[in-house]
Amino acid sequence: MNPPRFGVNYTPAHGWFHHWLDFDLDAVRADLDAIAALGLDHVRVFPLWPLFQPNRTLIRPRAVEQLVALVDAAGERGLDVNVDGLQGHLSSFDFRPAWIETWHRRNLFTDPDVVEAEAEYLRTLAAALADRPNFLGMTLGNETNQFSGEPHPDPDRIEPEQADAWLARLLRACEAGAPGKLHLHSFYDAAWYLDDHPFTPAQAARHGFATAIHAWVFNGTAQTYGTHSAAVDHHAEYLIELSKAWALDAHRPVWLQEVGAPAPHVPAEHAAAFARATIRNALDCPDLWGVTWWCSHDVDRALADFPELEYSLGLLTNDGLVKPAGSAVARIVEELREGWTPPPPRSTALVLDLPEHARKRSTCAPGGAYFEAYMNLAAQGARPAVVLAERAADEAHLAGRGITEVITLEDPSGS
């Protein structure tokens, strides 16, 4: 078994994602050189949807050529590439094309013309890269579920059945463009934590080649429990294990696709320690496909109106200097290459009494009863798995996951 993959979400050092407007391949190559020097093996990249598909029936050939050039440059440096399609939402900014906004306002999940245009866009990007050996596959978009409800200020409201149909349609488009590649989708944690959110844990854990986890501790975890808490150190691990409760495949891959050290919730002087603890706890989860840190380079402070925490998330400065968190990640990668042993199964599972199609998920969120029970076990040195109550007596399911003991919130001694 190969060790987990290690990469970074590529944020250009100069111009941020606006670099697509003034695409400079030499600048991209310099950024990729700095990323490769950390020992990483892949990047996740973000075309801006309005720039690539400014009209519903126009996908700009030159923009697609620039994306291919970026992927080729990454390949020359030994880096594989995952491409996010529908951007969508990045670092508090929305990038939706004019043809679904204001005078042309249409639901991006349910309008038939919009969905077919999205599908053709994803298919086109995938097809342009299908023959590149370092092209991993497509992610449908970055946290697209945030457009479907609160707290978004102008959501495209849908029901879970509509979300399910949208995911299936767009993943088919990716497969049509690049058959056999590793296509998936990504959610932010509302799918796991927010009551009545239309995108569900089951959808996260059953569509695509892997379950993508975006584990941010500014979601209330750091605010509630403190920077130096078990809840902060184990948050990514918790989401990885929580996701497995809904998976149909006992060994479905899980990709920790976004995780970072946001200040002031994680102070700069603690970022390296946070990276070490978070990653090592994630590595203790079976079936981890990989870890992709957010992000490669800091956001240039010459750019205005970002939330303060967004400016300092990089492993590298804008000048390409390695930050302490970057050194910590590079050292972990080096250690893995020196020798890696897959973690054993998590044999004790904490029962989650939450029906598969339940709309009330806040027990799993920071401050919720289930979240706190899990974190109390983790703080004691336990390695809990998560199992749904409806499967807690399913011997085949438990055996497939290596679970030999189940415990409940009411019966912490086990059963």
Side-chain angles (χ1 to χ4, degrees), residues 18-101:
H18 306 299
H19 84 132
W20 293 109
L21 289 164
D22 300 292
F23 188 74
D24 182 341
L25 188 55
D26 287 338
V28 168
R29 287 172 175 144
D31 289 346
L32 295 174
D33 283 336
I35 291 169
L38 295 174
L40 304 177
D41 60 46
H42 70 273
V43 291
R44 178 172 167 235
V45 303
F46 302 87
L48 291 186
W49 184 18
L51 303 184
F52 277 65
Q53 193 180 23
N55 183 274
R56 184 165 62 86
T57 57
L58 172 63
I59 300 167
R60 294 177 50 241
R62 180 60 180 147
V64 176
E65 290 171 5
Q66 290 169 341
L67 175 62
V68 173
L70 188 157
V71 171
D72 286 344
E76 292 165 0
R77 288 151 181 82
L79 295 168
D80 291 342
V81 181
N82 172 265
V83 177
D84 268 58
L86 301 172
Q87 304 329 318
H89 180 82
L90 292 164
S91 302
S92 85
F93 290 95
D94 285 350
F95 296 94
R96 295 196 288 189
W99 46 271
I100 58 172
E101 294 290 280

Side-chain angles (χ1 to χ4, degrees), residues 77 88 135 153 202 212 242 244 246 271 381 405 411:
R77 288 151 181 82
F135 172 52
L242 186 65
K244 295 178 182 180
W246 282 274
E405 177 187 33
D411 178 23

